[in-house]
């Protein structure tokens, strides 16, 4: 047996023993965890699964072992992913730490920052939110106004962020602040701080879906040690763009994974097939084929680009392609589902609808945000035009 075969066998055995049965069923919205200090678990198996995967380092399989990661090679990571997929295992947690600030700390963080934060991210002990957008400064992020003024060994931070996902539930924030008012892009710094710091407050924003997953976030004289700056002072634009690449990659990867959770073929079969079990309506067949072809093409392109990048590294600016196509595809999936389900896809609450039907209706509205979060479709098209295709403004 080759080493990789042995590894595969090891993974299979470990998962058999350690992945609880309920974690091999489709994810249920109220059992999703973002981890963190005060998190509670509706299903005790979610806690167990997170602890086991976290302690093994397999929530962050490629990160070095000395920071709590799995220390796996890209080939081993692929095997782990295949084996998780084979048993239909749930993702142990949704984590901005794993997806965004962790990879950035690996590249830009000081040794002290890595030692302090990465192991806690891997084990889901500390949850993170993202303090980028401000009122009036979303797409034009470089115009941000939140000020950080030096005071001895600290910065004093004042300002407001908006659309901060899970800000009222997260433990720490990675925030972009202005450390120089003379220049736009060159006056931004990324800094980390505890959301329990004096002067931090949040106000939840209610969404169209009825949920409230993000907040307005206010900083009033928040004192943060200078050692919490990520990268160089005034070089936050480069650091923040790197983080956005990881974010866009992950938003699209999340969308790729969703075809296992949300199967458009099953929707067509359940709601549009005749007594012979076949879908005969040409319009339904046409829409379904377009979605499946786009999905397949996107997956192949992603695979090709990943194989072309350095092992384990990010896809760089091409992440904007995946974010753009992935977001549009996910919106198409839900539009298709709502059309196919007819009245049964229009339920908001009540016993006349199954929990699944209610989930689809809520997620249909949630999917509308896919082309806004992590950079809008228009902004990503600009990135693709300039940085991927090399086009210039005329
Ligand atoms: C679900 C969700 C979660 C989010 N989570 C977070 C979070 O955790 N942290 C955080 O900091 N932010 C978060 N955001 C905010 C998100 O990053 C911003 O909404 C996004 O960057 C757009 O900014 P804006 O809302 O200010 O819109 P605007 O920038 O005002 O854009 C309005 C419209 O104008 C278009 N536009 C703007 N500039 C240009 C241009 N130069 N060329 C072409 N078109 C342009 C945009 O594409 C858009 O259609 C989240 C948003 C959503 C929807």
């Amino acid at each position: 047996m080759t080493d990789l075969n042995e590894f595969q066998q090891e993974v299979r055995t470990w998962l058999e023993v350690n992945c609880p049965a309920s974690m091999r069923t489709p994810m249920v919205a109220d059992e999703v965890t973002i981890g963190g200090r005060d998190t509670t678990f509706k299903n005790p198996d979610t806690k167990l699964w997170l602890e086991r995967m976290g302690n093994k380092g397999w929530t962050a399989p490629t990160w070095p072992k000395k920071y709590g990661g799995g220390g796996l090679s890209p080939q081993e990571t692929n095997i782990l992913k295949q084996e998780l997929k084979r048993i239909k295992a749930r993702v142990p947690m949704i984590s901005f730490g794993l997806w965004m600030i962790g990879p950035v700390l690996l590249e830009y963080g000081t040794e002290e920052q890595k030692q302090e934060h990465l192991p806690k991210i891997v084990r889901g002990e500390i949850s993170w939110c993202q303090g980028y957008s401000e009122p009036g400064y979303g797409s034009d992020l470089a115009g941000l106004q939140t000020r950080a003024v030096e005071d001895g060994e600290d910065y004093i931070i004042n300002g407001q962020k908006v659309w901060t996902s899970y800000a009222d539930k997260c433990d720490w924030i990675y925030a972009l602040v202005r450390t120089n008012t003379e220049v736009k892009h060159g006056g931004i710094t990324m800094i980390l701080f505890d959301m329990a710091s004096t002067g931090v407050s949040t106000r939840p924003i209610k969404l169209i879906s009825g949920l409230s997953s993000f907040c307005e976030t206010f900083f009033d004289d928040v004192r943060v040690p200078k050692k919490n700056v990520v990268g160089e002072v005034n070089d936050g634009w480069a650091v923040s763009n790197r983080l956005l690449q990881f974010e866009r990659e992950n938003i699209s990867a999340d969308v790729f994974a969703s075809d296992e959770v949300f199967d458009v073929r099953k929707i067509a079969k359940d709601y549009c097939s005749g007594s012979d079990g076949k879908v005969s309506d040409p319009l339904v067949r046409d829409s379904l084929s377009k979605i499946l072809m786009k999905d397949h093409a996107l997956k192949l392109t992603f695979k090709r680009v990943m194989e072309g990048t350095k092992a384990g590294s990010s896809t760089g600016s091409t992440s904007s392609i995946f974010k753009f196509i992935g977001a549009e595809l996910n919106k198409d999936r839900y539009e298709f589902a709502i059309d196919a389900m007819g009245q049964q896809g229009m339920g908001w609450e009540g016993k006349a609808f199954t929990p699944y039907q209610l989930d689809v209706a809520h997620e249909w509205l949630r999917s509308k945000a896919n082309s806004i979060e992590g950079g809008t479709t228009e902004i990503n098209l600009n990135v693709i035009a300039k940085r991927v295709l090399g086009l210039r403004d005329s």
Side-chain angles (χ1 to χ4, degrees), residues 83-122:
E83 290 301 314
L84 286 164
K85 197 171 165 181
R86 195 181 59 80
I87 60 165
K88 297 191 167 57
R90 291 186 190 176
V91 175
M93 68 177 153
I94 301 292
S95 163
F96 285 15
L98 288 176
W99 295 348
M100 297 182 233
I101 191 62
V104 161
L105 287 179
L106 280 169
E107 283 182 25
Y108 289 92
T110 60
E111 190 51 35
E112 190 186 343
Q113 288 169 345
K114 291 180 197 173
Q115 301 271 2
E116 162 73 15
H117 299 297
L118 295 178
K120 292 177 191 160
I121 290 175
V122 173

Coordinates of all heavy atoms in Angstrom, one line a residue, residues 83-122:
E83 N -13.3 11.8 1.9 CA -13.8 10.9 2.9 C -15.0 11.5 3.6 O -16.0 10.9 4.0 CB -12.8 10.4 3.8 CG -11.8 9.4 3.2 CD -12.4 8.2 2.6 OE1 -13.3 7.6 3.3 OE2 -12.1 7.8 1.5
L84 N -14.8 12.9 3.9 CA -15.9 13.6 4.6 C -17.2 13.6 3.7 O -18.3 13.4 4.2 CB -15.5 15.0 4.9 CG -14.5 15.1 6.1 CD1 -13.8 16.5 6.1 CD2 -15.2 14.9 7.4
K85 N -16.9 13.8 2.4 CA -18.0 13.9 1.5 C -18.7 12.5 1.3 O -19.9 12.4 1.3 CB -17.4 14.3 0.1 CG -18.4 14.8 -0.9 CD -17.7 15.4 -2.1 CE -18.8 15.5 -3.2 NZ -18.2 16.0 -4.4
R86 N -17.9 11.5 1.3 CA -18.4 10.1 1.2 C -19.4 9.8 2.3 O -20.4 9.2 2.0 CB -17.2 9.1 1.2 CG -17.5 7.7 0.7 CD -16.3 6.8 0.8 NE -15.8 6.7 2.2 CZ -16.4 5.9 3.1 NH1 -17.4 5.1 2.8 NH2 -15.9 5.9 4.3
I87 N -19.1 10.2 3.5 CA -20.1 9.9 4.6 C -21.1 11.0 4.8 O -21.8 11.0 5.7 CB -19.4 9.6 5.9 CG1 -18.5 10.7 6.4 CG2 -18.5 8.3 5.8 CD1 -18.1 10.6 7.9
K88 N -21.1 12.0 3.9 CA -22.0 13.2 3.9 C -21.9 13.9 5.3 O -22.9 14.3 5.9 CB -23.4 12.7 3.7 CG -23.7 12.2 2.3 CD -25.2 12.0 2.0 CE -25.5 11.8 0.6 NZ -25.0 10.6 0.0
A89 N -20.6 14.1 5.8 CA -20.4 14.7 7.1 C -20.7 16.2 7.0 O -20.4 16.8 6.0 CB -19.0 14.5 7.5
R90 N -21.3 16.7 8.0 CA -21.5 18.2 8.1 C -20.2 18.9 8.3 O -19.3 18.4 8.9 CB -22.4 18.5 9.2 CG -23.9 18.0 9.1 CD -24.7 18.6 10.2 NE -26.0 18.0 10.2 CZ -26.9 18.2 11.2 NH1 -26.6 19.0 12.2 NH2 -28.1 17.6 11.1
V91 N -20.2 20.2 7.8 CA -19.1 21.1 8.1 C -19.1 21.3 9.6 O -20.2 21.7 10.1 CB -19.2 22.4 7.4 CG1 -18.2 23.4 7.8 CG2 -19.2 22.2 5.9
P92 N -18.0 21.1 10.4 CA -18.1 21.3 11.8 C -18.5 22.7 12.3 O -19.2 22.8 13.3 CB -16.7 20.9 12.3 CG -16.0 20.2 11.2 CD -16.7 20.7 9.9
M93 N -18.1 23.7 11.6 CA -18.5 25.1 12.0 C -18.4 26.0 10.8 O -17.6 25.8 9.8 CB -17.8 25.6 13.2 CG -16.3 25.9 12.9 SD -15.5 26.6 14.3 CE -13.8 26.0 13.9
I94 N -19.1 27.1 10.9 CA -19.0 28.2 9.9 C -18.1 29.2 10.6 O -18.4 29.7 11.7 CB -20.4 28.9 9.7 CG1 -21.4 27.9 9.2 CG2 -20.3 30.1 8.8 CD1 -21.1 27.4 7.8
S95 N -16.9 29.5 10.0 CA -15.9 30.3 10.7 C -15.2 31.3 9.8 O -14.4 30.9 8.9 CB -15.0 29.3 11.4 OG -13.8 29.9 11.7
F96 N -15.4 32.6 10.1 CA -14.6 33.6 9.4 C -13.1 33.4 9.8 O -12.2 33.9 9.1 CB -15.0 35.0 9.8 CG -16.3 35.4 9.2 CD1 -17.2 34.5 8.5 CD2 -16.7 36.8 9.2 CE1 -18.4 34.9 7.9 CE2 -17.9 37.2 8.6 CZ -18.7 36.2 8.0
G97 N -12.9 32.9 11.0 CA -11.5 32.6 11.4 C -10.8 31.6 10.5 O -9.7 31.9 10.0
L98 N -11.5 30.5 10.2 CA -10.9 29.5 9.3 C -10.8 30.0 7.9 O -9.8 29.8 7.2 CB -11.7 28.2 9.3 CG -11.7 27.4 10.6 CD1 -12.7 26.2 10.4 CD2 -10.3 26.8 10.9
W99 N -11.8 30.7 7.5 CA -11.9 31.1 6.1 C -11.0 32.3 5.7 O -10.5 32.4 4.6 CB -13.3 31.4 5.7 CG -14.3 30.3 5.7 CD1 -14.1 29.0 5.9 CD2 -15.7 30.5 5.6 NE1 -15.2 28.3 5.9 CE2 -16.3 29.2 5.7 CE3 -16.6 31.6 5.5 CZ2 -17.6 28.9 5.7 CZ3 -18.0 31.3 5.5 CH2 -18.5 30.0 5.6
M100 N -11.0 33.3 6.7 CA -10.4 34.6 6.3 C -9.2 35.0 7.1 O -8.1 35.1 6.7 CB -11.5 35.6 6.4 CG -12.6 35.3 5.4 SD -13.8 36.6 5.4 CE -15.3 35.7 5.6
I101 N -9.5 35.3 8.4 CA -8.4 35.9 9.2 C -7.2 34.9 9.5 O -6.1 35.3 9.5 CB -8.8 36.6 10.5 CG1 -7.7 37.5 11.1 CG2 -9.4 35.7 11.5 CD1 -7.2 38.6 10.2
G102 N -7.6 33.6 9.6 CA -6.5 32.6 9.9 C -5.5 32.6 8.7 O -4.3 32.8 8.9
P103 N -6.0 32.4 7.5 CA -5.0 32.3 6.3 C -4.2 33.6 6.2 O -3.0 33.6 5.9 CB -5.9 32.2 5.1 CG -7.2 31.5 5.6 CD -7.4 32.0 7.0
V104 N -4.9 34.8 6.6 CA -4.1 36.0 6.5 C -3.1 36.1 7.6 O -1.9 36.6 7.3 CB -5.1 37.2 6.6 CG1 -4.4 38.5 7.0 CG2 -5.9 37.4 5.3
L105 N -3.4 35.6 8.8 CA -2.4 35.6 9.8 C -1.2 34.7 9.5 O -0.1 35.0 9.8 CB -3.0 35.2 11.2 CG -3.9 36.2 11.9 CD1 -4.5 35.7 13.2 CD2 -3.2 37.5 12.1
L106 N -1.5 33.6 8.8 CA -0.4 32.7 8.4 C 0.6 33.5 7.5 O 1.8 33.2 7.5 CB -0.9 31.5 7.7 CG -1.5 30.4 8.6 CD1 -2.3 29.3 7.8 CD2 -0.4 29.7 9.4
E107 N 0.1 34.4 6.7 CA 0.9 35.1 5.7 C 1.5 36.4 6.3 O 2.7 36.8 6.1 CB 0.2 35.5 4.5 CG 0.0 34.3 3.5 CD -0.7 34.7 2.2 OE1 -0.7 35.9 1.8 OE2 -1.3 33.8 1.6
Y108 N 0.7 37.2 7.1 CA 1.1 38.5 7.6 C 1.3 38.6 9.1 O 1.8 39.6 9.5 CB 0.0 39.5 7.2 CG -0.1 39.8 5.7 CD1 -0.9 39.1 4.9 CD2 0.7 40.9 5.1 CE1 -1.0 39.4 3.5 CE2 0.6 41.2 3.8 CZ -0.3 40.5 3.0 OH -0.4 40.8 1.7
G109 N 0.8 37.6 9.8 CA 0.8 37.8 11.3 C 2.2 37.7 11.9 O 3.1 37.0 11.3
T110 N 2.4 38.3 13.1 CA 3.6 38.0 13.8 C 3.5 36.6 14.5 O 2.5 36.1 14.6 CB 3.7 39.1 15.0 OG1 2.6 38.9 15.9 CG2 3.8 40.5 14.5
E111 N 4.7 36.1 14.9 CA 4.7 34.8 15.5 C 3.8 34.8 16.8 O 3.0 33.9 17.0 CB 6.1 34.5 16.0 CG 6.3 33.0 16.4 CD 5.8 32.0 15.4 OE1 5.9 32.2 14.2 OE2 5.3 30.9 15.9
E112 N 3.8 35.9 17.5 CA 2.9 36.0 18.7 C 1.5 35.9 18.3 O 0.7 35.2 19.0 CB 3.2 37.3 19.4 CG 2.6 37.4 20.8 CD 2.8 38.8 21.4 OE1 3.6 39.6 21.0 OE2 2.0 39.1 22.3
Q113 N 1.1 36.6 17.2 CA -0.3 36.6 16.8 C -0.7 35.2 16.4 O -1.8 34.7 16.7 CB -0.5 37.6 15.6 CG -0.5 39.1 16.1 CD -0.5 40.0 14.9 OE1 -0.2 39.6 13.8 NE2 -0.7 41.3 15.2
K114 N 0.2 34.5 15.7 CA -0.2 33.2 15.2 C -0.4 32.2 16.4 O -1.3 31.5 16.4 CB 1.0 32.6 14.3 CG 1.1 33.3 13.0 CD 2.2 32.7 12.2 CE 2.6 33.7 11.0 NZ 3.8 33.2 10.3
Q115 N 0.6 32.3 17.3 CA 0.5 31.4 18.5 C -0.8 31.7 19.3 O -1.4 30.8 19.8 CB 1.7 31.7 19.4 CG 3.0 31.4 18.8 CD 3.5 30.0 19.0 OE1 2.7 29.2 19.5 NE2 4.6 29.6 18.5
E116 N -1.1 33.0 19.4 CA -2.3 33.4 20.2 C -3.6 33.0 19.6 O -4.5 32.5 20.2 CB -2.2 34.9 20.4 CG -3.5 35.6 20.9 CD -3.8 35.3 22.3 OE1 -2.9 34.8 23.0 OE2 -5.0 35.6 22.7
H117 N -3.7 33.3 18.3 CA -5.1 33.1 17.7 C -5.3 31.9 16.9 O -6.5 31.4 16.9 CB -5.3 34.3 16.7 CG -5.3 35.7 17.4 ND1 -6.2 36.0 18.4 CD2 -4.4 36.7 17.3 CE1 -5.9 37.2 18.9 NE2 -4.8 37.7 18.3
L118 N -4.3 31.3 16.2 CA -4.7 30.2 15.3 C -5.2 29.0 15.9 O -6.2 28.4 15.5 CB -3.4 29.9 14.4 CG -3.0 31.1 13.4 CD1 -1.8 30.7 12.6 CD2 -4.2 31.4 12.5
P119 N -4.6 28.5 17.1 CA -5.1 27.3 17.7 C -6.5 27.5 18.1 O -7.4 26.5 18.0 CB -4.2 27.1 18.9 CG -2.9 27.8 18.5 CD -3.3 29.0 17.7
K120 N -6.9 28.7 18.6 CA -8.3 28.9 19.1 C -9.3 28.9 17.9 O -10.4 28.6 18.1 CB -8.3 30.2 19.9 CG -7.6 30.2 21.2 CD -7.6 31.5 21.9 CE -6.6 31.5 23.0 NZ -6.3 32.9 23.5
I121 N -8.8 29.4 16.8 CA -9.6 29.3 15.6 C -9.9 27.9 15.2 O -11.0 27.5 14.9 CB -9.0 30.1 14.4 CG1 -9.0 31.6 14.7 CG2 -9.7 29.9 13.1 CD1 -8.2 32.5 13.7
V122 N -8.8 27.1 15.1 CA -8.9 25.7 14.7 C -9.9 25.0 15.6 O -10.8 24.2 15.1 CB -7.5 25.0 14.8 CG1 -7.7 23.5 14.5 CG2 -6.6 25.6 13.8

